[in-house]
Amino acid sequence: MADLAFLEQDAVDVAPLLLGATLRANGVRVRLTEVEAYMGERDPGSHAYRGPGRRNATMFGPAGRLYVYFTYGMHYCCNVVTGREGVASAVLLRAGEVVEGLELARERRPNAARDAELASGPARLTRVLGISLADDGTDLAAGPIRLEAAPDRAPAIASGPRTGVAGPGGGLEFPWRFWIPGEPSVSRYRPHVARRR
DNA sequence: AGCCGGATCCGCT
DNA sequence: GCGGATCCGGCTT
């Protein structure tokens, strides 16, 4: 079992180290290719920006837990909690490559045209792993959902603006999105545009 | 009590 | 490329 002590730092420092790590849940393993750092109470883009609440409580807990949230009325997304207990810091898992359980993954995402699309996006990645709100707070070192550190550092790492964050703290200010260049599962960058009504 | 908009995805054009 | 789906947290009244 790989050592997860590296999770006890700020999300920005942890995020690049998670590239190439794998997350296994419910018979499927995904190798992480794209992540985003969220820096908690001082980060306007973070769910923790306005302090602890019912939804984001896990973010304030110890490192190495899974933070799952529900969004857009229909999707789940998951994060790895980092940093010390009491400090909200987490890394959103945005994309990955399915490296085990391909058949199960295809069953969970029957509309994916190519295998590279199975976990290409945070809600897709969460779905392919069969993760839902019930898994919020899971200990990734000991429970049924396991995070294993990358065997080697990713050969190359690219960074840029976070995908879904607009305004102050988002945009171009902080390059807190990290990915492995050339990976087919990494989604093309789409600048955030507020939905019209 | 009500409204606004989101760390999204999918299907149609 | 665009809009619809569909719930919830957070802020305004």
Side-chain angles (χ1 to χ4, degrees), chain A residues 36-118:
Chain A
E36 274 176 8
Y38 285 85
M39 294 293 283
E41 293 183 277
R42 64 183 184 278
D43 174 5
S46 170
H47 287 168
Y49 184 55
R50 288 170 178 81
R54 211 171 147 270
R55 174 165 80 152
N56 62 17
T58 301
M59 283 187 83
F60 289 82
R65 300 240 181 116
L66 189 70
Y67 167 50
V68 185
Y69 68 88
F70 182 64
T71 192
Y72 286 99
M74 63 194 83
H75 299 301
Y76 300 110
C77 298
C78 55
N79 303 247
V80 173
V81 176
T82 79
R84 290 200 300 276
E85 181 157 15
V87 177
S89 187
V91 178
L92 172 68
L93 310 182
R94 290 199 55 88
E97 170 199 6
V98 174
V99 292
E100 278 179 29
L102 203 49
E103 291 308 311
L104 260 178
R106 287 174 180 148
E107 281 175 29
R108 291 178 184 149
R109 298 245 319 114
N111 293 331
R114 303 175 299 124
D115 287 347
E117 292 170 8
L118 287 170

Side-chain angles (χ1 to χ4, degrees), chain A residues 87-194:
Chain A
V87 177
S89 187
V91 178
L92 172 68
L93 310 182
R94 290 199 55 88
E97 170 199 6
V98 174
V99 292
E100 278 179 29
L102 203 49
E103 291 308 311
L104 260 178
R106 287 174 180 148
E107 281 175 29
R108 291 178 184 149
R109 298 245 319 114
N111 293 331
R114 303 175 299 124
D115 287 347
E117 292 170 8
L118 287 170
S120 172
R124 294 170 173 183
L125 182 148
T126 303
R127 182 170 194 89
V128 110
L129 289 169
I131 288 172
S132 73
L133 265 194
D135 302 306
D136 181 45
T138 298
D139 181 354
L140 295 173
I145 303 177
R146 292 295 182 105
L147 178 70
E148 296 193 8
D152 298 298
R153 199 183 165 103
I157 292 173
S159 65
R162 292 183 295 187
T163 301
V165 183
L172 307 175
E173 244 177 297
F174 306 104
W176 286 349
R177 174 181 173 246
F178 301 87
W179 66 95
I180 303 177
E183 287 287 338
S185 59
V186 175
S187 49
R188 173 180 121 271
Y189 174 64
R190 294 181 299 264
H192 183 265
V193 183

